[in-house]
């Protein structure tokens, strides 16, 4: 085995440019010796250092970390260094895992929409409390609602997106519910996960009359009326809140006739 190597031989052996080797020398990671003619040569002591440098670069350690490790190698330092790097990697993975979670949830939701068969039929279901973040305001147009959602999204651009994140909707005002003006909204909202700590309101648990409809929002008023008539027919009472949840809208579907919206109206049995 050779005991001395030129910079060209080391460059070929490690697939490193001569400039990179000179840079490592400048940073104190390598200390090649010089021949009488001034040419560098690398010995076996440089070989093991280059093995470590090459491997640690693959793991994205900085030159400073590599230099510190070369100068202070020990079992404890190796353990601490790897633990620290694993922690950094976990921090980098966390937003990617969160993004994957959002997309999987959205994918599941979209697939469930393809299975809906009972459009414009009133059903009843019990819903637990749901955490929401909201923006208050009077919204009369789709554009105003979109701006309200953007205001909500701006609060947490890391976890809220209108394409692949949480369900979003609007809440009809109490006065709108009373007089039958169901496009009189008082809040826009995003539903958040039960474990999320950031929220500013809760939708109450209870029974809700629900209806899915497909198509233009122009159908909204007549379909709300259909829900209210069914509630009255069953001897129930309409109570706050009434919600629209936009399951498939302009953010995920080009054609308005394919939009899917869910109406939810909270109910209770009438006192006898």
């Amino acid at each position: 085995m050779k005991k001395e190597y030129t910079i060209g031989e080391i460059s070929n052996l490690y697939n490193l440019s001569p400039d990179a080797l000179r840079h490592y020398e400048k940073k104190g990671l390598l200390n090649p010796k010089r021949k009488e003619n001034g040419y560098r040569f690398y010995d076996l002591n440089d070989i093991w250092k280059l093995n470590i440098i090459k491997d640690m670069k693959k793991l994205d350690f900085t030159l400073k970390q590599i230099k510190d490790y070369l100068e202070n190698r020990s079992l404890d330092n190796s353990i601490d260094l790897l633990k620290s790097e694993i922690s950094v990697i976990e921090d980098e993975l966390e937003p990617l895992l969160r993004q994957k979670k959002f997309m999987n949830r959205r994918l599941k939701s979209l697939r469930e929409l393809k299975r809906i068969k009972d459009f414009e039929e009133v059903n009843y279901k019990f819903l637990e409390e749901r955490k929401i973040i909201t923006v208050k305001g009077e919204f009369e147009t789709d554009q105003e609602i979109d701006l309200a959602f953007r205001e909500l999204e701006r609060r947490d651009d890391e976890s809220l997106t209108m394409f692949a994140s949480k369900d979003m909707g609007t809440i009809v005002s109490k006065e709108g519910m009373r007089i039958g003006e169901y496009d009189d909204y008082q809040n826009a909202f995003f539903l958040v996960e039960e474990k999320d700590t950031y929220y500013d309101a809760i939708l109450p648990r209870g029974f809700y009359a629900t209806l899915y409809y497909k198509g233009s929002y122009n159908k909204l008023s007549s379909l709300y009326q259909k829900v209210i008539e069914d509630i009255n027919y069953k001897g129930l009472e309409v109570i706050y809140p009434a919600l629209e949840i936009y399951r498939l809208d302009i953010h995920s579907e080009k054609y308005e006739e394919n939009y899917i919206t869910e109406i939810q109206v909270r109910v209770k049995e009438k006192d006898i």
Side-chain angles (χ1 to χ4, degrees):
M1 177 183 290
K2 290 182 62 173
K3 295 185 178 180
E4 294 182 358
Y5 297 84
T6 68
I7 191 169
E9 289 173 326
I10 289 294
S11 178
N12 289 331
L13 182 62
Y14 284 94
N15 196 27
L16 291 168
S17 70
D19 285 343
L21 291 168
R22 295 187 189 99
H23 183 64
Y24 293 162
E25 181 181 346
K26 181 179 179 181
K27 293 297 184 180
L29 280 74
L30 296 174
N31 187 27
K33 298 175 180 60
R34 301 271 182 162
K35 290 185 177 291
E36 291 180 1
N37 59 10
Y39 289 163
R40 294 174 177 82
F41 72 90
Y42 298 81
D43 59 19
L44 296 180
N45 191 55
D46 296 305
I47 294 296
W48 70 259
K49 288 183 180 180
L50 279 163
N51 289 339
I52 291 177
I53 293 169
K54 190 77 171 175
D55 287 345
M56 292 184 73
K57 285 288 289 181
K58 289 179 183 177
L59 297 173
D60 288 332
F61 287 102
T62 67
L63 292 184
K64 182 180 184 306
Q65 288 176 306
I66 296 171
K67 183 176 185 294
D68 290 344
Y69 181 74
L70 289 172
E71 294 174 351
N72 301 286
R73 300 181 314 285
S74 70
L75 175 60
D76 287 340
N77 283 345
S78 297
I79 290 172
D80 290 343
L81 185 64
L82 288 172
K83 284 171 61 178
S84 174
E85 192 64 13
I86 288 170
S87 178
V88 170
I89 292 170
E90 287 176 343
D91 289 342
E92 292 175 349
L93 281 175
E94 198 277 332
L96 292 175
L97 293 173
R98 184 171 64 241
Q99 185 177 6
K100 179 183 177 183
K101 176 184 173 183
F102 291 157
M103 290 189 171
N104 277 331
R105 184 171 60 220
R106 182 58 173 161
L107 180 60
K108 179 182 177 182
S109 175
L110 291 175
R111 284 173 171 165
E112 288 173 350
L113 293 179
K114 292 176 68 70
R115 294 195 288 268
I116 297 174
K117 304 298 182 185
D118 55 349
F119 286 106
E120 300 192 19
E121 292 183 13
V122 182
N123 294 291
Y124 293 82
K125 57 186 175 183
F126 185 85
L127 298 173
E128 295 291 347
E129 286 185 348
R130 290 167 287 172
K131 296 177 179 178
I132 58 174
I133 59 173
T134 68
V135 59
K136 294 182 181 295
E138 296 180 1
F139 314 116
E140 297 180 356
T141 67
D142 294 347
Q143 291 79 8
E144 288 174 331
I145 293 173
D146 260 357
L147 284 173
F149 285 133
R150 178 54 203 153
E151 172 62 28
L152 285 171
E153 193 179 38
R154 187 177 63 82
R155 297 185 197 174
D156 187 0
D157 269 336
E158 288 293 317
S159 64
L160 296 174
T161 72
M162 288 184 275
F163 170 70
S165 185
K166 300 168 170 52
D167 287 326
M168 57 190 187
T170 49
I171 302 175
V172 180
S173 71
K174 289 184 178 180
E175 179 63 13
M177 289 174 64
R178 187 183 69 81
I179 63 176
E181 291 186 0
Y182 301 109
D183 57 354
D184 180 17
Y185 306 110
Q186 70 174 22
N187 295 84
F189 66 86
F190 275 108
L191 286 163
V192 300
E193 295 293 300
E194 176 59 33
K195 64 182 179 181
D196 288 347
T197 56
Y198 175 66
Y199 64 96
D200 50 28
I202 291 178
L203 297 174
R205 70 196 297 266
F207 282 98
Y208 286 77
T210 67
L211 177 146
Y212 285 101
Y213 72 89
K214 189 173 186 178
S216 167
Y217 298 133
N218 294 332
K219 301 168 64 175
L220 179 67
S221 181
S222 62
L223 290 172
Y224 262 112
Q225 194 57 44
K226 180 176 182 177
V227 173
I228 300 302
E229 289 173 359
D230 194 87
I231 292 170
N232 292 333
Y233 176 77
K234 289 183 167 55
L236 304 172
E237 180 182 352
V238 175
I239 55 175
Y240 182 80
L243 319 168
E244 289 168 40
I245 299 179
Y246 306 112
R247 303 298 189 185
L248 190 67
D249 64 1
I250 195 171
H251 301 102
S252 305
E253 171 58 49
K254 179 178 180 179
Y255 299 105
E256 190 178 52
E257 61 266 27
N258 293 326
Y259 292 176
I260 297 176
T261 307
E262 183 182 7
I263 294 172
Q264 296 182 355
V265 180
R266 189 173 170 226
V267 300
K268 73 172 184 176
E269 293 186 13
K270 290 184 178 179
D271 295 330
I272 300 176

